[in-house]
Amino acid sequence: MRTILLGPPGAGKGTQAQVLAQRAGVPQVATGDILRRAREEGTDLGRRAQSYMDRGELVPDEVMIGIIEQRLQEADAREGFVLDGFPRTVPQAEALGELLLGLGMPLDAVLALDVPEEVIVRRLAGRRTCPGCGRSYHVESDPPPADGRCQNCGRELVTRPDDRAETVRERLGVYRRQTEPLKEYYQARGLLRQVDGLGTVEEVTERLQSALGR
Ligand code: AP5
């Protein structure tokens, strides 16, 4: 499986990418998680990305393209991958296309999750995230353990700084201006499958699987 999960912030890309990747036995490649890990580790990349992320803006294309070029050439991505959060701009999509052409690894499909804005705002306001392993919870639909610690790795759960209401508004604007045009880009290449992102996590997973023809 070589697929991209596209969608606005909070659409459920991370939640679904994790399930699809696990089922297919391929890595989930989540650029947001890569950047947050770099921040945690205090690397140059993490420091450079922080101000963009906190403002809800995109990290520059050349930085993100470099990260993906390296990641998709690692051994575990040879059999496939689920991309979550990349590409986010037309130049990123073009660079990805060239990379995959060179590696002889064409995309199977681009899955776009459709979720209305009022649902997104609710999902992000209730999200709690593990800074250790990146697992997301939701106070209503997927409540975290009572002690407020991650059930996978035991770290204390946090609210992501970019989930503040004003930053969410900025992220939604950035999505509409810079990322949504990718639907047209992939539609023109016969790869786009639009999927309703409402309903339970399991219902959405089943829709994604059938859009993939599995
Ligand atoms: P990133 O981490 O990629 O954030 P995002 O795209 O804004 O997506 P989110 O992680 O907020 O949401 P999601 O769609 O994964 O939803 P989730 O599954 O968690 O990027 C963060 C920042 O990094 C960017 O703003 C940018 O600065 C930078 N960046 C990253 N990639 C970049 C790139 N390529 N180029 C440039 N900059 C880049 O679900 C949300 C909540 O809803 C959770 O609480 C979950 O439990 C809940 N939920 C999920 N599904 C359901 C359901 N079906 N029903 C009820 N609740 C649900």
Side-chain angles (χ1 to χ4, degrees), residues 7-16 31-33 35-36 52-53 56-61 64 84-88 92 123-124 126-128 136-138 141-142 160 162-163 171 197-201 204:
K13 300 183 297 296
T15 304
Q16 296 297 337
T31 42
D33 289 348
L35 295 173
R36 277 184 290 277
Y52 294 102
M53 295 174 83
E57 294 170 7
L58 295 183
V59 174
D61 284 338
M64 301 312 301
D84 158 14
F86 187 97
R88 261 174 147 98
Q92 290 183 16
R123 284 188 184 176
L124 292 180
R127 174 162 61 181
R128 300 293 178 270
S136 279
Y137 298 81
H138 190 276
S141 62
D142 182 13
R160 265 170 52 175
D162 59 347
D163 281 348
R171 286 162 64 200
L198 287 178
T200 64
V201 170
V204 178

Side-chain angles (χ1 to χ4, degrees), residues 65-155:
I65 290 167
I67 291 174
I68 284 295
E69 280 177 350
Q70 208 178 348
R71 180 65 187 90
L72 293 189
Q73 294 187 66
E74 286 175 23
D76 65 340
R78 296 252 166 77
E79 300 306 317
F81 49 78
V82 179
L83 277 176
D84 158 14
F86 187 97
R88 261 174 147 98
T89 63
V90 171
Q92 290 183 16
E94 287 169 347
L96 178 67
E98 277 172 36
L99 173 69
L100 296 179
L101 187 68
L103 294 171
M105 303 196 315
L107 286 170
D108 301 327
V110 176
L111 304 168
L113 282 172
D114 291 324
V115 179
E117 215 159 292
E118 65 274 15
V119 177
I120 286 172
V121 170
R122 267 206 310 278
R123 284 188 184 176
L124 292 180
R127 174 162 61 181
R128 300 293 178 270
T129 307
C130 174
C133 68
R135 160 98 157 79
S136 279
Y137 298 81
H138 190 276
V139 290
E140 286 161 13
S141 62
D142 182 13
D147 64 359
R149 294 185 171 273
C150 179
Q151 66 191 33
N152 290 344
C153 68
R155 286 282 296 271

